[in-house]
Amino acid sequence: MFRLIKKWGGAMGPFVALIVIYVLFVLADRMWSEGYFLSWRNLRVMMSSAALIAVPACGMTIIIIAGGIDLSAGTALTLSGTVLALQLKNSEVAAADPGFAMVMGTALAATIFAGCLCGLANGLLISLTRVVPFIVTLGTMTIFLGIGQILSDSSTVYAPKENIPEWLKYLCYTGSDPSHYLIPGLLIPSSVIIAGLLALGVGLMMRYSVFGRNIFAIGSSESTARLCGINVPAMTVSVYALAGLFVALGGLLYFADVKNGNPTDGTGKELEIIAAVVLGGGSLSGGRGSIWGSMIGALIITVIRSGCSQLAIPNTYTHIIIGGIIIIAVIVDQLRHGSPEWLFHMMKKKSV
């Protein structure tokens, strides 16, 4: 049985779990609700919601494969979104006026800079102090939240509608007007296409580049990686800075979705991002995980949330369901690695 779990817990396990969960909610929606869950509109909403988790999860996947973790991803994401909202709010040039391209370029650069700076700070603190990533990022989580509240004066930052360009306004659009999509006539939200392209790029980097192989090596065994000549501190800083880039892009999508910037919105988002990686087969012990799996993990979370919403299940129970599935995913991961030892020891005794 455990050989079977190990075999199916690999690449196809998360995908099979997604299909099973989706079919269960379709049947439940048909029996006890109005059948909206299976509609094209709801499918687009779920895909767009998954993209908001999937983009920062690209960076989190790299971190977890390298044996780290980033609890500050949520507050860093909304800090980046708040920086973008402030830049657009303070712009004296409207989106339709000449010269707005410079304003938008500066705003995007500031957003990317904020996310990468957060990641760089995490990487430097972990490498220089050699304190475990869990503790460092737990501290920076509240630091980034505080910085965001200082920048926003502890309030939500609303950018004037005339200062938001059309492409940003409809980046997460899920309606029925085909002219608001990136590819006219193809009703796939732009955020989903962006997430797909980023995932493809990261997946190729992890599979075919030396940088990607070094990340797997560090996550599998840091001491062995050192003996092989890999500069582990420099790699750690690079990994967290790169993850900061995806956090910043997640902040861009966050702003496009809610059209404002609120630093407190980030509290709890890091758990969704980490959960997507774990549900996708990423191991918190490091050395294993995949971008494909993290994308599936993000979809599992949004399917559960949307299904519970259609069935009018309160959010409290939704959180319990997602938490329970995460624990099951971690237990399956542990079983694949021969843990707990007492269980396998007992099985060996019985077989003898």
Side-chain angles (χ1 to χ4, degrees):
M1 183 179 74
F2 290 104
R3 286 184 179 177
L4 190 65
I5 291 173
K6 188 172 182 178
K7 181 180 178 182
W8 284 94
M12 292 305 295
F15 182 69
V16 173
L18 172 64
I19 297 298
V20 170
I21 292 170
Y22 187 78
V23 170
L24 287 175
F25 274 116
V26 168
L27 295 175
D29 186 52
R30 288 290 176 91
M31 287 189 287
W32 296 306
S33 190
E34 299 175 353
Y36 178 76
F37 182 77
L38 196 57
S39 67
W40 285 109
R41 174 63 189 276
N42 191 52
L43 183 61
R44 290 196 295 272
V45 171
M46 286 193 293
M47 289 171 65
S48 182
S49 299
L52 298 178
I53 301 173
V55 170
C58 287
M60 188 65 77
T61 304
I62 299 171
I63 289 176
I64 287 180
I65 290 175
I69 198 162
D70 184 5
L71 297 181
S72 68
T75 53
L77 185 148
T78 47
L79 171 61
S80 301
T82 302
V83 168
L84 177 59
L86 282 169
Q87 293 287 321
L88 295 179
K89 179 184 177 183
N90 297 329
S91 172
E92 296 179 354
V93 183
D97 295 340
F100 183 77
M102 179 66 73
V103 174
M104 195 65 225
T106 305
L108 289 176
T111 305
I112 299 296
F113 179 75
C116 291
L117 191 62
C118 291
L120 183 66
N122 282 332
L124 286 173
L125 285 170
I126 292 167
S127 293
L128 295 176
T129 64
R130 298 192 64 76
V131 176
V132 292
F134 179 87
I135 300 299
V136 170
T137 56
L138 183 64
T140 54
M141 176 177 71
T142 56
I143 292 173
F144 298 153
L145 173 62
I147 293 173
Q149 288 176 322
I150 292 171
L151 293 176
S152 64
D153 288 330
S154 299
S155 62
T156 303
V157 180
Y158 293 95
K161 289 183 179 178
E162 60 272 18
N163 286 3
I164 303 176
E166 292 291 308
W167 66 267
L168 183 57
K169 195 178 297 180
Y170 296 111
L171 203 57
C172 298
Y173 180 73
T174 58
S176 56
D177 189 343
S179 65
H180 294 321
Y181 288 88
L182 186 63
I183 304 174
L186 186 61
L187 304 187
I188 298 177
S190 304
S191 55
V192 175
I193 295 175
I194 292 171
L197 291 174
L198 289 173
L200 179 63
V202 176
L204 292 174
M205 180 196 75
M206 295 298 291
R207 186 173 182 83
Y208 295 108
S209 72
V210 175
F211 182 75
R213 288 195 289 273
N214 286 349
I215 291 172
F216 276 103
I218 293 171
S220 299
S221 174
E222 188 175 315
S223 57
T224 305
R226 288 180 191 276
L227 292 173
C228 291
I230 297 173
N231 189 335
V232 174
M235 281 294 298
T236 302
V237 174
S238 303
V239 163
Y240 278 89
L242 180 60
L245 171 65
F246 290 101
V247 164
L249 294 174
L252 174 69
L253 294 183
Y254 153 76
F255 175 83
D257 186 45
V258 299
K259 307 296 184 295
N260 63 56
N262 186 344
T264 58
D265 282 352
T267 307
K269 284 187 183 297
E270 69 281 350
L271 299 180
E272 290 184 344
I273 298 167
I274 293 170
V277 180
V278 173
L279 288 174
S283 173
L284 293 175
S285 302
R288 196 162 49 78
S290 72
I291 296 298
W292 156 257
S294 298
M295 300 299 107
I296 298 296
L299 277 170
I300 289 175
I301 292 173
T302 52
V303 165
I304 293 173
R305 190 180 295 155
S306 176
C308 290
S309 175
Q310 300 304 323
L311 295 172
I313 297 174
N315 280 337
T316 47
Y317 293 100
T318 305
H319 295 152
I320 292 172
I321 293 170
I322 293 175
I325 290 176
I326 291 170
I327 291 173
I328 292 170
V330 173
I331 291 173
V332 171
D333 178 63
Q334 295 288 75
L335 290 172
R336 292 165 61 193
H337 285 83
S339 180
E341 291 181 3
W342 63 266
L343 177 62
F344 286 87
H345 185 66
M346 187 172 68
M347 290 177 62
K348 281 181 183 176
K349 277 187 174 179
K350 284 188 176 180
S351 63
V352 171

